Amino acid sequence: MTEYLMEQDIAIELTGVKITRRRRKTIGPINLRIPQGHIVALVGPNGSGKSTIINMILQTISPDEGSITWLGEASKTALPLEIRQQIAYVPEHPINEENFMTADEAARFRSHWYPNWDEVRFDQLMSRFEVSRHERLNRLSKGERRKFEIAAAFAAKPKILLLDEPSSGLDPFAWKDMIEQLRSFMKGEDVTVVLSSHIVEEVKRLADYIVLVNSGQVLGMAEKDALFANWKEIWVRGELEGLDELEADILRRDYGPAMTKLIVRESEALELWQHENRIQMVKSRSLELDEILEIWIQGHTPDVLSK
Ligand SMILES: Nc1ncnc2c1ncn2[C@@H]1O[C@H](COP(=O)(O)OP(=O)(O)OP(=O)(O)O)[C@@H](O)[C@H]1O
């Protein structure tokens, strides 16, 4: 069942956004409506276009075609300053311009830029993450630099938070802490988070919506719980009469000597088939996110996309 998002609930909208470069992959045309106040995870293979989408939202890469609307404001040219000041960004690779600043100096610099800068929050997070504030940023370890970027992004109190592979370089403890911090940060603020990630567990724990990006295209966005409920794997015993009538809902079938394993789309027809043919279901399980994404990339579109 399609979920229709209301116009006023859209934080960022990309319409027909496309970028074409010689000898590089074409990204788009992309149509995507990112709902306000939620965490939206961009997932997909390497080089599929996740970072490019984030950079186009930030306008560090300008699309050749299409338009972007942020918090209801559209601009044909540059990102309006008052909107840019509402966006915080944790890049995949740290920005070199700040390399020779200490964390404190970089924070002071950013505090001039962001009108809602929260110094107390910055202090608390830097202490919690145990990152030196007096060391030059290029002398910090990869994980420490990441922690600084996350602390500074949260301290900016943005309306839109863009996180490009936020856990890259974090140890498992820091990763867990980052997830907790992001969750508690979301509670008090009206913030929309767009993150790209390859970490299945991170997407599972954090995302409200999942956007699948593949080969420069957005294949769709689905509410996470609805996506997980869309397909399942079942093991059945019996004659399997009438199975062919369910063809459209069966993604895979593996016949074994005693049982058949099916990957099926949840549907009333499936329940009816089981009931009418007295099919004995031996076990069933939800699919893991990586299995769902694999099926989706193969062309089996979930019927729970958001529009
Ligand atoms: N500024 C740019 N202009 C045009 N194409 C670009 C630009 N930057 C990257 N690309 C191309 O876009 C494609 C997608 O790259 P991108 O970094 O967005 O992928 P990704 O999904 O974030 O990958 P990964 O998961 O490996 O980080 C690549 O083929 C790359 O060459």
Side-chain angles (χ1 to χ4, degrees), residues 54-68:
I54 289 179
N55 278 293
M56 288 195 292
I57 293 174
L58 199 65
Q59 295 275 283
T60 41
I61 297 179
S62 300
D64 301 319
E65 290 174 33
S67 62
I68 304 179

Side-chain angles (χ1 to χ4, degrees), residues 7-252:
E7 210 58 53
Q8 68 269 24
D9 298 335
I10 302 301
I12 307 163
E13 180 160 9
L14 286 79
T15 310
V17 167
K18 188 170 172 183
I19 182 161
T20 319
R21 295 280 185 274
R22 262 180 359 126
R23 279 185 247 116
R24 278 181 139 180
K25 200 180 274 169
T26 295
I27 306 287
I30 288 167
N31 295 301
L32 181 62
R33 284 150 57 83
I34 293 180
Q36 189 155 352
H38 292 281
I39 302 184
V40 176
L42 306 179
V43 299
N46 287 131
S48 55
K50 303 177 296 295
S51 298
T52 308
I53 292 174
I54 289 179
N55 278 293
M56 288 195 292
I57 293 174
L58 199 65
Q59 295 275 283
T60 41
I61 297 179
S62 300
D64 301 319
E65 290 174 33
S67 62
I68 304 179
T69 306
W70 309 261
L71 307 168
E73 293 229 17
S75 170
K76 275 278 166 212
T77 52
L79 178 63
L81 179 66
E82 64 279 12
I83 297 287
R84 180 60 187 87
Q85 287 175 320
Q86 308 285 338
I87 305 178
Y89 170 50
V90 173
E92 189 179 1
H93 306 291
I95 303 158
N96 292 334
E97 278 82 18
E98 290 180 333
N99 273 351
F100 296 100
M101 293 183 188
T102 64
D104 262 352
E105 286 164 351
R108 207 172 317 127
F109 179 69
R110 291 184 192 205
S111 70
H112 295 305
W113 173 259
Y114 287 107
N116 300 325
W117 180 265
D118 185 341
E119 190 62 30
V120 174
R121 180 180 280 175
F122 180 70
D123 269 349
Q124 285 170 344
L125 284 168
M126 289 296 278
S127 308
R128 190 182 171 101
F129 290 156
E130 295 179 348
V131 179
S132 163
R133 305 170 53 135
H134 310 294
E135 193 67 74
R136 272 171 27 188
L137 290 180
N138 64 352
R139 295 220 181 109
L140 297 179
S141 76
K142 187 180 169 198
E144 287 169 336
R145 178 85 184 249
R146 204 79 186 151
K147 290 175 181 175
F148 158 75
E149 294 290 349
I150 291 168
F154 286 8
K157 297 185 84 179
K159 287 252 180 298
I160 294 173
L161 176 57
L162 305 174
L163 304 171
D164 201 346
E165 299 189 25
S167 51
S168 168
L170 296 186
D171 67 60
F173 307 106
W175 176 74
K176 214 166 144 229
D177 201 21
M178 187 271 290
I179 293 211
E180 274 167 25
Q181 293 302 318
L182 183 56
R183 279 240 186 84
S184 72
F185 174 61
M186 291 294 291
K187 268 188 208 144
E189 316 277 337
D190 178 22
V191 57
T192 303
V193 178
V194 181
L195 69 90
S196 85
S197 178
H198 289 291
I199 318 267
V200 166
E201 196 51 35
E202 182 168 286
V203 176
K204 245 168 106 175
R205 285 202 203 183
L206 282 177
D208 300 308
Y209 288 86
I210 293 174
V211 174
L212 177 57
V213 186
N214 187 44
S215 238
Q217 301 290 323
V218 165
L219 300 193
M221 177 172 79
E223 197 270 318
K224 179 183 64 185
D225 295 335
L227 184 62
F228 274 94
N230 197 67
W231 293 293
K232 66 179 176 182
E233 182 185 85
I234 58 173
W235 295 72
V236 290
R237 228 194 314 250
E239 281 302 308
L240 307 192
E241 294 277 332
L243 186 61
D244 289 341
E245 287 167 30
L246 283 177
E247 196 57 52
D249 291 330
I250 300 175
L251 276 62
R252 269 183 217 158

